[in-house]
Amino acid sequence: MSPARMQKGFFARIADPQEVRMILEHLPGVFFFVKDEQGRFMAANTATCIRCGLQGERELIGSTDADYLPPEIARAYREDDLKVIRSGKPLIDRLELFYDEQRKLAWFLTTKLPLRDRCGKVMGVIGVARRDERRMTDRDVVEVTAAVKFARDNRHRVSTAAELAKAVNVSERQLYRDLNTALGVSPYELLLRTRVQSAAEELAQTSLPIIEIALNHGFCDQSAFTRQFRKRVGQTPRIFRLSLIG
């Protein structure tokens, strides 16, 4: 029997497919969720419900991020969900803002995958989030969220800390303090990390040559791209891409 048939037969024997979700109830610091095409929650582990201020999954079903988050953050979540739904491609380790278990805003790394029906059509997203950096305070939300948005919007070019500070409407010194407090990174590192993250998504989702991806994200050549990518991802772009293939 082939491994594929063996695996298919095993899962076909499971009485309740949702039994597989039980492992997600016991992974510390992991927040699991499933949403439909309209962005409504269809499933979540207990940790996700608690950080939304709810007692259990039944209260969460049918609600959306807009019910729990500030409007600008909820919109960013929805945009990412739609990108996954429309492209059928995953978003890996996306830096996002959400509430932690104490209902304080914090930064998380979120991975979202397209969820398909039996005909292969994308019917929603399934994902997990885990805590990334140090906590931030409520007063940092607007400035830091704007800084992350600027970094994402300008991920295809080299931007300076001065440009970022001007876009956020704070001084460079204040911006440095805000980002260091919220994310533990400097403005330079936020801008560079965002470019590397975007390049990683392109490596995963396209077959474009590595040099083209490097140039598309403001790196002067493939060598410079490889050096910065390996420092932050732990692998060269080539090895990273090959690891996704198989």
Side-chain angles (χ1 to χ4, degrees), residues 37-178:
E37 290 176 291
Q38 284 73 49
R40 297 173 299 191
F41 285 102
M42 291 290 110
N45 64 352
T46 301
T48 299
C49 297
I50 291 174
R51 77 175 187 170
C52 288
L54 306 175
Q55 296 298 314
E57 186 182 61
R58 181 172 295 182
E59 297 178 66
L60 185 70
I61 304 303
S63 63
T64 70
D65 291 311
D67 295 310
Y68 311 106
L69 289 168
E72 67 275 9
I73 301 174
R75 281 196 296 270
Y77 265 48
R78 183 57 179 158
E79 288 173 6
D80 282 350
D81 290 349
L82 289 173
K83 182 181 293 186
V84 172
I85 291 170
R86 291 167 180 168
S87 70
K89 303 291 185 180
L91 286 178
I92 301 171
D93 279 352
R94 171 76 79 181
L95 190 65
E96 294 186 323
L97 193 64
F98 205 86
Y99 291 107
D100 63 12
E101 299 89 330
Q102 284 73 47
R103 296 289 294 160
K104 293 183 178 180
L105 285 167
W107 287 94
F108 293 82
L109 288 174
T110 302
T111 292
K112 298 179 179 180
L113 306 175
L115 184 63
R116 300 179 184 276
D117 62 20
R118 294 181 179 178
C119 297
K121 180 183 177 182
V122 177
M123 56 181 287
V125 297
I126 182 171
V128 294
R130 65 188 190 280
R131 194 184 311 279
D132 180 39
E133 304 285 354
R134 293 179 294 178
R135 290 180 184 174
M136 64 188 299
T137 59
D138 291 340
R139 65 180 176 80
D140 297 317
V141 172
V142 175
E143 289 81 4
V144 176
T145 300
V148 172
K149 183 179 186 304
F150 177 90
R152 287 184 182 176
D153 290 345
N154 294 274
R155 63 191 179 278
H156 296 297
R157 69 178 183 90
V158 178
S159 302
T160 66
E163 288 180 278
L164 182 56
K166 183 177 180 180
V168 179
N169 198 30
V170 297
S171 68
E172 289 186 56
R173 180 176 296 182
Q174 183 64 47
L175 177 64
Y176 183 93
R177 286 198 296 265
D178 288 346

Side-chain angles (χ1 to χ4, degrees), residues 1-15 17 20 118:
M1 181 182 296
S2 70
R5 290 185 61 190
M6 184 183 301
Q7 183 186 59
K8 184 176 181 180
F10 173 81
F11 281 104
R13 290 168 52 203
I14 298 177
V20 179
R118 294 181 179 178

Side-chain angles (χ1 to χ4, degrees), residues 221-235:
D221 55 38
Q222 187 168 328
S223 176
F225 173 54
T226 297
R227 184 170 61 254
Q228 299 293 357
F229 191 94
R230 180 165 48 193
K231 181 178 180 180
R232 287 158 184 82
V233 179
Q235 298 175 310

